[in-house]
Amino acid sequence: MPTLPTAPAARFPYRIRTMNVFHHPAPPEAPHHRFWPAGVPRALDVPDESLWQALERRAEAEPQAVGLDFLGRRWTWQALHDEAERLAGALLALGVGAGDRVIVFMQNCPQFLLGYHAVLRANAVVVPVNPMNKADELDHYIQDSGARVALASSDIAGELARAQEMLQGEGGARLEHLVVFDLAEALPDDIEAAQAGWPLHWRRWLPTRHPKPTLAGGSVHAWTDLVARGLRPGPLSTQGQDLAALPYTSGTTGAAKGCMHNHASLMHNAMTSQDWLDLRPGDVMLIVVPMFHITGMVMAMLAGIRLGASIVLLPRWDRDVAAAAIEQQRVTHWPNIPTMVIDLLGKPDLQPAMLRSLRYIGGGGAAMPEAIATRLKNELGLDYIEGYGLTETSGPTHSNPPGAVRRQCLGIPYLSTRARVVDPDTLHDVATGEVGEILVHGPQVFQGYWRNPDATRAAFVELDGLRWFRTGDLGRVDADGYHTMADRLKRMINASGFKVWPAEVEALLYRHPGVQEVCIIATRDDYRGESVKAVIVPKPEARETLTEADVIAWSREHMAVYKVPRQVEFVEQLPKSASGKLLWRLLQVEQDQRDARTESTPPA
């Protein structure tokens, strides 16, 4: 089984392994500790155990308590535990061994939680894959991870089968077994009664059954048949340092890379919600962010199970259904992305009373617009808790401390975590308030990129005897230790020598009364080198009236002249990933292609 040897304490002081825990000494005193939440430890000790054991303990402690609600069907902790364990026994019978990788390919559904934990119970490694991927993308995940078994919902399992056909005749890994289920199997028997009071339009999205595909060179199994065999797994042998999951990065700079996370690195951030976000046993967490993504996986699914919060699970975002779920299930915690909150608050019939049960609302991926944050505070008394993290860091390395929130800010270094801002070329610390690359060091940082030692070496740097992860993000840190994002490394517009950070321009444009969403990209300019372009989704009431001249005139009043968009394009929607992040690179590539065609067109 792939393991990471215990690191020398002098070089990696956050991973001092004792008999039963990983001890993480608190970072040295820093300015941001003045804002540290009362009663919250500055570092956590993480049990040296498998992530599976959280579900096992939950089933032992409160077996008949509702652990999961999916579109009205309720699962007890005992039921979740038992089905996951029976599936683990079946996986072992299919030949899954310790350290083997198993692909989990599905949208949010109970089977994701069950499959994820069954793989862990089989002492194997979860490879969570974006369900929007197609066969041309999936062949990379199969070959790179070396997975021989995959779990998939029937509506998209055919893409894995097609990827397998593409791999026929090629060397390397191929799937031997594909386990398939219908999403309809997770629905309540009496759908009408279970969804009483829900908006009727949700019914058109209810899943239907699909035939099982054929797997070239392999076997296809029905999930229900495997579980019905009642096989039980042998001893659990994994511990904290054993590999637990291989979530893949987006691959925007090349082929997607698997991020090696052991049980301990994922468990650290799953545990932090108890103190930082006041997540208590008996609380109710709404999960609509995708669980294949690191935020939904760690800060929602794993955190909820570990800390005993009941999970209300939705397969996809719909503001009417989300509002109904929050109100009816008395949701206390809702991790999300800002675009979801923007959409929910745009619901015409939304009443603040519908959201009164919420104690925590927060997320990351983009800054929450000031106007939306103000409305949340005024109408619900809630601060939007913004944080920052990456797939490589199991979620947050930074978060705004409850009680000392600063808007449109990444927050302060998280529990057990250190951060610094350096010049990306010299790696020297930059002055307070200056832009540089954010480096982080902590127990939630991944162990490296799967089978990619060159990328791993490039991702880390040793400074002052510690191993720091290079996030590739540009930011600033102020005198109080709060970090703010400037932008992605190299996502910068150079307009006549002036550096324009798109995120800053976007934040300003969100204050425009007619702007719903915005993305800033660069256009080529013969005189300035580059100019600023705004791609805007207008608010519904402004779609017929908002003009390019209006936006430019407003911008001239609200930002420095070199930041003002020279072009404005109005669109119906902006491209986003399955986790809701804005895919600005797609817009930039399209613009570059248009600019190139314009330059190559001879004048009339």
Side-chain angles (χ1 to χ4, degrees):
M1 176 179 301
T3 61
L4 189 73
T6 304
R11 186 178 177 189
F12 304 98
Y14 63 89
R15 298 192 67 200
I16 301 174
R17 187 179 186 182
T18 65
M19 183 174 296
N20 298 310
V21 301
F22 292 94
H23 175 61
H24 305 306
E29 189 69 27
H32 66 267
H33 288 138
R34 293 188 290 119
F35 306 95
W36 202 257
V40 176
R42 294 185 185 175
L44 291 180
D45 287 344
V46 174
D48 185 10
E49 64 183 32
S50 167
L51 290 163
W52 160 262
Q53 291 172 262
L55 181 58
E56 188 170 74
R57 290 197 192 96
R58 196 56 49 210
E60 292 173 352
E62 39 187 352
Q64 299 309 310
V66 175
L68 175 69
D69 182 295
F70 180 71
L71 300 179
R73 179 176 174 183
R74 295 187 168 187
W75 304 64
T76 65
W77 290 119
Q78 186 70 60
L80 291 168
H81 171 274
D82 288 352
E83 181 157 339
E85 193 165 60
R86 290 195 299 271
L87 181 60
L91 291 176
L92 289 168
L94 293 179
V96 172
D100 284 348
R101 280 74 59 205
V102 178
I103 288 173
V104 178
F105 182 55
M106 60 194 74
Q107 63 180 296
N108 280 4
C109 58
Q111 286 85 354
F112 187 100
L113 184 152
L114 293 165
Y116 188 102
H117 283 80
V119 173
L120 298 180
R121 180 62 183 87
N123 302 308
V125 179
V126 180
V127 182
V129 176
N130 185 338
M132 297 177 68
N133 279 325
K134 299 298 183 181
D136 297 84
E137 301 158 312
L138 291 169
D139 62 348
H140 170 71
Y141 294 100
I142 296 170
Q143 285 210 314
D144 189 70
S145 70
R148 295 180 294 110
V149 177
L151 313 177
S153 55
S154 61
D155 56 323
I156 55 176
E159 295 296 333
L160 280 170
R162 283 187 282 277
Q164 180 89 337
E165 293 174 359
M166 295 169 60
L167 293 172
Q168 289 297 303
E170 297 183 15
R174 291 196 302 274
L175 293 176
E176 297 175 7
H177 299 281
L178 176 59
V179 180
V180 178
F181 65 91
D182 281 313
L183 287 167
E185 295 165 5
L187 295 177
D189 294 331
D190 188 346
I191 194 78
E192 298 292 332
Q195 295 185 5
W198 282 36
L200 293 178
H201 74 261
W202 180 250
R203 307 294 173 85
R204 70 174 185 266
W205 286 330
L206 291 179
T208 57
R209 296 184 181 274
H210 299 263
K212 289 189 298 185
T214 299
L215 185 67
S219 302
V220 179
H221 312 268
W223 178 299
T224 51
D225 291 345
L226 293 184
V227 171
R229 296 173 65 184
L231 300 177
R232 297 286 177 172
L236 181 70
S237 61
T238 45
Q239 295 179 296
Q241 284 192 309
D242 292 315
L243 193 61
L246 274 181
Y248 274 72
T249 60
S250 61
T252 52
T253 57
K257 300 185 291 291
C259 298
M260 294 189 293
H261 276 292
N262 59 27
H263 291 261
S265 61
L266 296 174
M267 194 180 303
H268 177 275
N269 274 4
M271 293 173 60
T272 57
S273 295
Q274 179 173 359
D275 295 309
W276 196 268
L277 303 181
D278 189 26
L279 185 62
R280 315 165 192 164
D283 279 345
V284 181
M285 179 180 290
L286 174 64
I287 301 182
V288 66
V289 288
M291 293 190 295
F292 79 83
H293 187 265
I294 201 71
T295 300
M297 181 196 310
V298 177
M299 301 306 292
M301 180 184 72
L302 294 179
I305 295 171
R306 181 137 204 117
L307 303 176
S310 179
I311 294 170
V312 175
L313 182 64
L314 297 180
R316 66 188 74 173
W317 172 250
D318 179 277
R319 68 184 185 184
D320 296 315
V321 175
I326 293 171
E327 181 179 29
Q328 294 177 16
Q329 303 289 345
R330 308 301 297 164
V331 170
T332 60
H333 288 67
W334 178 28
N336 55 56
I337 55 175
T339 52
M340 292 178 179
V341 181
I342 294 169
D343 189 38
L344 180 65
L345 293 185
K347 177 177 161 62
D349 58 346
L350 183 72
Q351 300 297 321
M354 300 170 70
L355 310 179
R356 287 297 182 194
S357 60
L358 288 171
R359 293 204 320 272
Y360 161 78
I361 182 170
M368 173 61 75
E370 178 74 21
I372 304 300
T374 298
R375 185 176 170 189
L376 277 175
K377 187 68 171 178
N378 291 344
E379 296 184 7
L380 299 175
L382 290 174
D383 287 309
Y384 188 83
I385 308 295
E386 291 188 44
Y388 166 77
L390 302 166
T391 301
E392 289 90 339
T393 64
S394 313
T397 61
H398 294 67
S399 181
N400 273 271
V405 170
R406 298 187 183 181
R407 295 178 181 176
Q408 298 184 329
C409 174
L410 305 180
I412 62 178
Y414 208 43
L415 288 78
S416 316
T417 308
R418 307 184 195 193
R420 64 200 302 173
V421 180
V422 303
D423 183 297
D425 296 320
T426 67
L427 298 179
H428 294 156
D429 292 314
V430 301
T432 300
E434 293 296 316
V435 172
E437 184 179 1
I438 300 172
L439 308 186
V440 294
H441 169 87
Q444 72 275 63
V445 175
F446 75 141
Q447 286 72 61
Y449 293 111
W450 174 253
R451 293 176 175 172
N452 198 333
D454 291 339
T456 298
R457 279 190 292 270
F460 290 92
V461 62
E462 186 168 334
L463 297 173
D464 301 328
L466 300 178
R467 190 175 184 238
W468 298 82
F469 171 60
R470 302 189 63 168
T471 68
D473 286 331
L474 298 176
R476 302 180 179 88
V477 59
D478 65 18
D480 291 329
Y482 280 77
H483 288 66
T484 55
M485 181 72 78
D487 230 310
R488 289 282 179 190
L489 191 60
K490 297 182 180 178
R491 190 195 175 194
M492 183 268 292
I493 301 172
N494 191 336
S496 297
F498 290 98
K499 294 181 179 180
V500 179
W501 306 109
E504 294 181 347
V505 180
E506 290 164 358
L508 290 168
L509 279 171
Y510 266 115
R511 300 178 186 176
H512 190 291
V515 172
Q516 176 79 14
E517 291 185 286
V518 59
C519 179
I520 295 297
I521 58 176
T523 62
R524 298 182 189 177
D525 188 307
D526 291 339
Y527 177 70
R528 294 156 54 90
E530 292 179 324
S531 287
V532 179
K533 177 178 178 177
V535 183
I536 291 174
V537 178
K539 290 183 178 178
E541 64 269 23
R543 286 177 181 169
E544 301 298 325
T545 58
L546 189 62
T547 67
E548 179 179 34
D550 293 334
V551 172
I552 293 174
W554 185 93
S555 299
R556 288 184 177 275
E557 294 180 8
H558 293 87
M559 63 187 74
V561 65
Y562 67 87
K563 298 180 182 178
V564 172
R566 295 294 184 96
Q567 296 181 35
V568 178
E569 178 182 358
F570 297 108
V571 297
E572 291 292 324
Q573 61 183 7
L574 296 176
K576 297 186 180 71
S577 70
S579 62
K581 287 188 177 180
L582 179 64
L583 299 177
W584 62 268
R585 286 183 178 88
L586 292 181
L587 294 176
Q588 187 62 68
V589 168
E590 291 172 359
Q591 183 62 45
D592 290 344
Q593 292 172 344
R594 285 195 293 266
D595 289 342
R597 287 195 297 268
T598 300
E599 291 177 355
S600 62
T601 301

